[in-house]
Amino acid sequence: MAPRKTPAKPQRKTGVREAQAQASREAILRAATKVFARYGYDGGSVEKISRAAKSYDRMIYYYFGSKEGLFVAVLEGIYQRMDEAEAAMALDMARPVEALTEVIHFVLGYYRRNPDFVTLLNTENLHKGRHIAKSLRAREYSSRAVAVIASILESGAAQGLFRPDLAARDVYLLIAATGYFYMSNRYTLASFLGEQLEAPEAAQHWEAFVTETVLRAVRQDDSTESLPPHEETKKWQKSPPPASRARSSSRT
């Protein structure tokens, strides 16, 4: 009688374990993004992040090496998501004015729709960029963004629409600065100006002004007849208080 074979124990496939590990890592990243955005780098403890991710402290060290390594991964993640969203735009380089307008619309809109992006960049700037400086991927994302602007400017210059002496980096910074500053300072500016800058009408007004400003800056000639005049006063803007008007009118 042949000896009975012992049934082999079922083994998990390697692919299943890898998928579970990836899901665990992504859960930690999502939790860390929210915790760091809420508490900052110093206040975003490993304990808070592991609790929010329903994980364990040791898993953070296993996947990311340290709290700083996790924060760098969070910063890379927010840059990557913006890069992917920008890459999904269908830009017609043969129509550079429309393409540049679409880029402006995307950048300003992305900042408005992703306030955590702005908050996390504020946090890193408080630390003088010492964490993102250790990233090997950050430059990759910025290079792509500037390259898109460069292609648009090149097409515009070839058609005689844009100045040929423009640096794509400068135009990129102009667009990013106008969108970022508006969002990062929206609360203090709202109190300072007495206006609700997050109101849809206010955001649309600012985007129209930024678009006009950028297009004027890149135009080949000084003519602005084809650009719509920018309206200085909007319904959402409040008139200055009487005391302010009195001080202004008394100056000579």
Side-chain angles (χ1 to χ4, degrees), residues 177-242:
T178 54
Y180 181 82
F181 180 84
Y182 188 92
M183 281 300 296
S184 65
N185 293 272
R186 62 194 182 279
Y187 299 118
T188 52
L189 285 174
S191 297
F192 183 73
L193 298 174
E195 301 165 0
Q196 294 300 318
L197 298 186
E198 290 191 280
E201 298 84 0
Q204 292 169 7
H205 173 85
W206 181 243
E207 183 176 315
F209 179 71
V210 172
T211 301
E212 176 193 340
T213 300
V214 174
L215 291 179
R216 286 177 184 270
V218 303
R219 286 177 63 88
Q220 166 68 8
D221 54 65
D222 295 331
S223 174
T224 57
E225 294 179 358
S226 60
L227 294 176
H230 181 74
E231 297 181 17
E232 184 64 26
T233 304
K234 290 288 183 180
K235 292 181 179 179
W236 56 268
Q237 291 178 307
K238 295 182 179 180
S239 299

Side-chain angles (χ1 to χ4, degrees), residues 30-231:
R30 287 193 300 270
T33 300
K34 294 179 180 178
V35 170
F36 283 133
R38 180 175 181 180
Y39 298 102
Y41 178 76
D42 295 325
S45 65
V46 169
E47 292 78 8
K48 288 177 182 175
I49 294 169
S50 61
R51 188 163 55 248
K54 294 181 173 60
S55 184
Y56 302 95
D57 296 358
R58 67 176 184 273
M59 299 310 296
I60 291 177
Y61 295 108
Y62 176 77
Y63 289 121
F64 303 99
S66 64
K67 173 183 169 180
E68 182 182 43
L70 175 57
F71 188 59
V72 171
V74 166
L75 294 175
E76 289 179 340
I78 63 174
Y79 276 121
Q80 180 180 1
R81 286 190 289 277
M82 184 175 186
D83 179 70
E84 291 173 348
E86 188 172 37
M89 289 191 297
L91 299 175
D92 185 357
M93 295 300 177
R95 299 170 63 87
V97 173
E98 289 79 0
L100 187 55
T101 300
E102 184 62 25
V103 169
I104 297 169
H105 174 74
F106 165 79
V107 172
L108 271 63
Y110 193 89
Y111 287 144
R112 290 196 302 269
R113 294 189 302 272
N114 298 274
D116 283 355
F117 180 82
V118 175
T119 302
L120 287 165
L121 292 185
N122 286 344
T123 295
E124 179 59 358
N125 277 292
L126 287 174
H127 289 270
K128 299 182 179 181
R130 65 183 176 90
H131 303 107
I132 195 63
K134 299 179 181 180
S135 170
L136 301 177
R137 303 172 62 188
R139 288 290 299 275
E140 175 185 346
Y141 300 135
S142 66
S143 297
R144 291 176 185 173
V146 175
V148 170
I149 299 292
S151 296
I152 295 173
L153 296 179
E154 182 179 356
S155 175
Q159 297 181 42
L161 298 173
F162 295 165
R163 291 162 43 196
D165 61 336
L166 293 166
R169 168 188 169 280
D170 293 341
V171 177
Y172 168 78
L173 284 175
L174 175 59
I175 297 170
T178 54
Y180 181 82
F181 180 84
Y182 188 92
M183 281 300 296
S184 65
N185 293 272
R186 62 194 182 279
Y187 299 118
T188 52
L189 285 174
S191 297
F192 183 73
L193 298 174
E195 301 165 0
Q196 294 300 318
L197 298 186
E198 290 191 280
E201 298 84 0
Q204 292 169 7
H205 173 85
W206 181 243
E207 183 176 315
F209 179 71
V210 172
T211 301
E212 176 193 340
T213 300
V214 174
L215 291 179
R216 286 177 184 270
V218 303
R219 286 177 63 88
Q220 166 68 8
D221 54 65
D222 295 331
S223 174
T224 57
E225 294 179 358
S226 60
L227 294 176
H230 181 74
E231 297 181 17

Side-chain angles (χ1 to χ4, degrees), residues 13-25:
K13 295 182 179 180
T14 303
V16 174
R17 289 198 297 271
E18 291 179 350
Q20 290 175 338
Q22 183 63 25
S24 175
R25 186 179 188 277

